[in-house]
Amino acid sequence: MVDVSNGGGKAPKLPIPGKRNILITSALPYVNNVPHLGNIIGCVLSADVFARYCRLRGYNAIYICGTDEYGTATETKATEEKCTPQEICDKYHAIHREVYEWFNISFDEFGRTSTPQQTEICQAIFNKLLENNWLSENTMQQLYCSKCERFLADRLVEGICSIQGCNYESARGDQCEKCGNLLNPTELIKPRCKACQATPHIRDTNHLFLELPSLKDKLEVYINKMAEAGSWSQNAIQVTNGWLKEGLKPRCITRDLKWGVPVPHENFKDKVFYVWFDAPIGYVSITACYTQDWEKWWKNPENVELYQFMGKDNVPFHTVMFPSTLLGTGENWTFMKSISVTEYLNYEDGKFSKSKGVGVFGNDAKDTNIPVEVWRYYLLTNRPEMSDTLFTWADLQAKLNNELLSNLGNFINRVLSFIAKPSGQGYGSIIPGAPGAESHVLTQTLAEKVEKHVEQYIEAMEKVKLKQGLKTVMSISSEGNSYLQESKFWKLYKDDQTSCAIVMKSSAGLVHLLACLLEPFMPSFSLEVLKQLNIPSESQSSLCDEKGDIGKARKLWEILPDGHRIGKPEPLFKELKDEEVEFYRKKFAGSQADREVKAAAEKAAEQLKQTNISDGKQKKHPKKPAADSKAQAMPEAEISIARLDIRVGFIRKVQKHPDADSLYVEEIDVGEATPRTVVSGLVNYIPIEEMQDRKVCVLCNLKPATMRGIKSYAMVLAASNSEHTEVELVEPPKDAPVGERVKFPGFEGEPDDVLNPKKKVWETLQPDLNTDSNCAARFKDIPLTTSAGACKVSTITNGSIK
């Protein structure tokens, strides 16, 4: 487990002259609730991956974060829970800390904004802005509750939405949840105080404003310079340009609240700073809690690069408001160089919502017993970098079973298990020597591919393209699996010991390299792999240019020394079964409140069941015959090929999946009123132009599955050779009618409407689908037949169809 504060008690790091010094922050999570998975991938997890990568490369990097604790939402939550704002902050700060510890987030400092350092630095920045004449006073009209004797923040007012056609009766003063429009609390119809339900009235109140229009020229110079130099993400640029295009307006920086940083001005001593002004300064104050020499990080733009991570709703506060605040001080601040912004991660059929309790929250993930490395992997492969993505339990299952288990885990376990076999069957857990590896053609080919992938990995990670970096590492694992298959190492062990030793030593080196490259993404996985390699965990993985680490990837057979004894191989991942997925889907349906009510009801029912409500003796009732209580269950149909609904289809449209480079999305006519959407993993095997406007065989009664956010309603049948290096589509005859069912002579019967995944019908039948020596598609020895003739592939003989 990784300590989430101050690197486990180590001395604070300071910028080092001549080294690359990187300051990393993630948007400060608000402290009034438990973080959900969308919050985690949008901010803290993404920043953690980049921080770990920077350390892997030998950069001098620190990662700063903490809880955002001041403002209206904290006061509101305190009122709801009948406690003080400080008690709310203490409670939820501890919850956040615990969640991030479980997720292995490696902050150098995880602090909070309700500290003396926050007050001191925030007030100092304010005084500089005041001194430089970037602040103005103005009068605002705000709702005041006479019963509560206070001005009401936007979120403390509810009423009828004023947007024509909406009329939602519980619209908040800042936004209507029904129609989504931003509101002003004075615009609400029949406003009411959320705390006491009294009707508030409008009063004048004086506030301080930051003169953004006057700072616009300085701000645009900064934006134009850094957006290019820091390779800002496109969504960040679009949001920022949108604000500039609309025209900047003076922005209020004070609020009529009690919980916040006091305004050090005689005329405003009863007010606090508005959270948008106060919260970004938290990055600075939390660094000040980390080290007294915080200015060496925050006022050192010549030697420090600032990288910031956040969700898209936080962009204007980091590209417009906070830079304007710092520019207004006239001091030599370290400004943000690079900003990494995520869109929204949605949940099953809706959106994650903290306020409504919808989705999987950080504490929920811990309670599933699904390992943390699986959660990290899934969230990062699904990171919404360019557009919203979708969390589904079925997709998590597919990623775990098909990518982590079948690809990565399979490769590592095959290599280490073979080396661990006793002499005569393997190498007795000893890494063999590999003389002649430089001239071993297959190994050289692998090394060249791996070298290119490592270069691509570094290029992606330097540009903070985390999803691409992870995908590249998984491609290296796939290359490892192909290398094992092509080498036929199990035969080499008997026929060519020298070549077998080269293959196994190079593969073991690749295992170590994978552990290194994946450490930023799945640190607990990497620790386990090092343990199985019998390499001490304190021997930190490294990809430093100065040490020549990257060049070592070119010589896989030199990564581990001859004679090194490995540890005990163990499976790294466990299959997630259909029934488990269904269990989790039901368990986390609805809101957290719904789930708590349901759990309480189930507990009460169980207690009632165990209580004797008569004289302490259970009454006995004669057993009814099964036939009296319910109809006898229909016998399960025999698993026959006739249960498959395979039809002649025609691909009318095909395009690449927007969020998965290896997937096509096709629109296929299968003889129904509308074409079916089908997602196929064929990009690496069949060019897109060869997919368009052709007939194919389509399995139409699989249960629909969501693949990277797009639901697939069928499967295109394709054949692959034994090495899975070539794939071809199974084609019906040209004259076969679209929509006609493909049949198997001798097997009669109607297909299932939808194949029950629990009965494993497709999984049972698929191994017997193949191509013969004449490229004909068969089930066992029976051809796939249409009215126009048999189906076949172009060139693959004795292949497997799936």
Side-chain angles (χ1 to χ4, degrees), residues 549-738:
D549 293 327
I550 298 171
K552 293 176 185 176
R554 180 69 180 78
K555 295 186 177 183
L556 299 169
W557 53 91
E558 293 184 357
I559 291 178
L560 295 175
D562 298 358
H564 174 76
R565 177 178 289 277
I566 67 169
K568 182 183 178 182
E570 299 279 359
L572 291 160
F573 301 102
K574 180 185 175 184
E575 181 184 10
L576 188 60
K577 299 185 181 298
D578 292 341
E579 52 268 29
E580 294 176 283
V581 169
E582 193 58 31
F583 170 78
Y584 291 132
R585 186 185 286 114
K586 289 178 179 177
K587 180 177 180 179
F588 296 108
S591 69
Q592 280 189 316
D594 294 337
R595 299 197 289 265
E596 288 170 3
V597 170
K598 182 181 177 183
E602 289 174 350
K603 183 177 180 181
E606 183 62 28
Q607 288 173 343
L608 189 61
K609 185 178 177 184
Q610 314 227 350
T611 302
N612 290 327
I613 44 181
S614 60
D615 59 354
K617 296 180 180 179
Q618 295 288 342
K619 291 184 179 180
K620 295 185 178 179
H621 299 279
K623 280 192 174 181
K624 293 182 180 180
D628 290 346
S629 58
K630 60 180 180 179
Q632 282 194 319
M634 293 292 291
E636 177 64 26
E638 176 191 359
I639 295 185
S640 161
I641 194 70
R643 293 175 66 177
L644 302 187
D645 183 10
I646 301 175
R647 301 185 211 167
V648 175
F650 184 79
I651 302 177
R652 297 202 174 280
K653 181 182 178 183
V654 61
Q655 60 187 1
K656 286 192 174 181
H657 194 299
D659 292 317
D661 292 343
S662 63
L663 300 178
Y664 285 130
V665 180
E666 306 112 16
E667 297 294 325
I668 304 181
D669 183 355
V670 291
E672 298 171 336
T674 57
R676 292 199 187 195
T677 300
V678 181
V679 181
S680 305
L682 297 170
V683 170
N684 295 329
Y685 304 101
I686 303 174
I688 194 166
E689 58 271 14
E690 293 182 18
M691 292 287 293
Q692 186 74 43
D693 299 328
R694 66 184 292 176
K695 287 182 178 178
V696 288
C697 291
V698 184
L699 178 57
C700 294
N701 61 341
L702 284 176
K703 185 178 180 181
T706 301
M707 301 175 71
R708 306 306 293 273
I710 296 179
K711 185 164 278 191
S712 180
Y713 292 91
M715 184 174 76
V716 176
L717 295 187
S720 64
N721 61 3
S722 58
E723 295 82 18
H724 203 70
T725 55
E726 296 178 28
V727 177
E728 295 174 351
L729 294 173
V730 177
E731 295 184 88
K734 290 183 180 179
D735 296 331
V738 171

Side-chain angles (χ1 to χ4, degrees), residues 256-277:
D256 290 295
L257 296 172
K258 301 297 182 186
W259 183 244
V261 174
V263 178
H265 190 292
E266 185 61 30
N267 298 337
F268 298 90
K269 59 185 178 182
D270 58 340
K271 303 182 191 294
V272 299
F273 287 115
Y274 201 167
V275 70
W276 76 259
F277 177 82

Side-chain angles (χ1 to χ4, degrees), residues 16-261:
I16 300 171
K19 288 205 74 169
R20 192 171 175 195
N21 301 295
I22 299 181
L23 173 59
I24 300 162
T25 71
S26 60
L28 307 182
Y30 209 75
V31 78
N32 67 331
N33 220 320
V34 181
H36 59 60
L37 297 185
N39 306 134
I40 290 167
I41 184 58
C43 304
V44 296
L45 178 55
S46 296
D48 179 64
V49 171
F50 186 68
R52 288 177 178 275
Y53 167 76
C54 289
R55 297 176 194 128
L56 191 70
R57 295 280 283 139
Y59 305 151
N60 185 41
I62 63 169
Y63 176 17
I64 299 296
C65 190
T67 42
D68 178 8
E69 302 193 349
Y70 285 137
T72 306
T74 305
E75 285 195 354
T76 305
K77 191 71 172 179
T79 302
E80 289 175 5
E81 297 197 13
K82 297 180 174 57
C83 61
T84 66
Q86 185 64 62
E87 288 171 335
I88 281 290
C89 292
D90 292 344
K91 172 184 173 180
Y92 283 100
H93 177 81
I95 290 172
H96 276 258
R97 175 179 285 273
E98 183 179 352
V99 168
Y100 302 143
E101 281 180 346
W102 188 79
F103 269 94
N104 281 333
I105 307 299
S106 60
F107 304 116
D108 288 272
E109 182 73 19
F110 183 72
R112 48 202 309 186
T113 58
S114 58
T115 63
Q117 289 89 340
Q118 174 77 358
T119 300
E120 180 185 344
I121 294 171
C122 197
Q123 291 180 343
I125 288 173
F126 166 79
N127 286 328
K128 277 290 182 182
L129 292 171
L130 190 65
E131 180 185 318
N132 294 338
N133 296 315
W134 295 115
L135 300 178
S136 61
E137 296 184 24
N138 209 336
T139 300
M140 294 175 63
Q141 288 189 325
Q142 196 170 340
L143 290 174
Y144 182 85
C145 179
S146 299
K147 188 173 181 180
C148 295
E149 296 184 333
R150 63 174 176 173
F151 284 98
L152 298 180
D154 299 350
R155 292 189 181 191
L156 292 179
V157 185
E158 289 185 341
I160 299 171
C161 179
S162 58
I163 302 299
Q164 189 173 1
C166 179
N167 299 320
Y168 181 54
E169 294 188 356
S170 297
R172 289 200 320 249
D174 57 349
Q175 187 174 24
C176 175
E177 287 193 346
K178 182 181 178 184
C179 68
N181 281 289
L182 297 177
L183 301 173
N184 188 312
T186 57
E187 298 170 349
L188 291 173
I189 301 168
K190 296 183 179 178
R192 60 187 181 272
C193 172
K194 190 174 180 180
C196 71
Q197 301 301 304
T199 300
H201 56 276
I202 296 174
R203 267 195 190 182
D204 288 344
T205 176
N206 292 330
H207 283 285
L208 287 164
F209 290 75
L210 179 62
E211 286 295 326
L212 289 176
S214 301
L215 288 160
K216 183 182 177 184
D217 291 343
K218 292 176 182 287
L219 179 66
E220 285 186 328
V221 170
Y222 157 72
I223 290 171
N224 293 334
K225 177 184 176 183
M226 283 302 187
E228 182 177 351
S231 300
W232 286 12
S233 55
Q234 196 58 40
N235 43 12
I237 293 172
Q238 288 172 350
V239 170
T240 304
N241 287 340
W243 272 68
L244 294 175
K245 189 175 180 180
E246 284 182 16
L248 299 179
K249 300 176 180 63
R251 187 84 177 181
C252 184
I253 67 168
T254 54
R255 267 294 183 257
D256 290 295
L257 296 172
K258 301 297 182 186
W259 183 244
V261 174

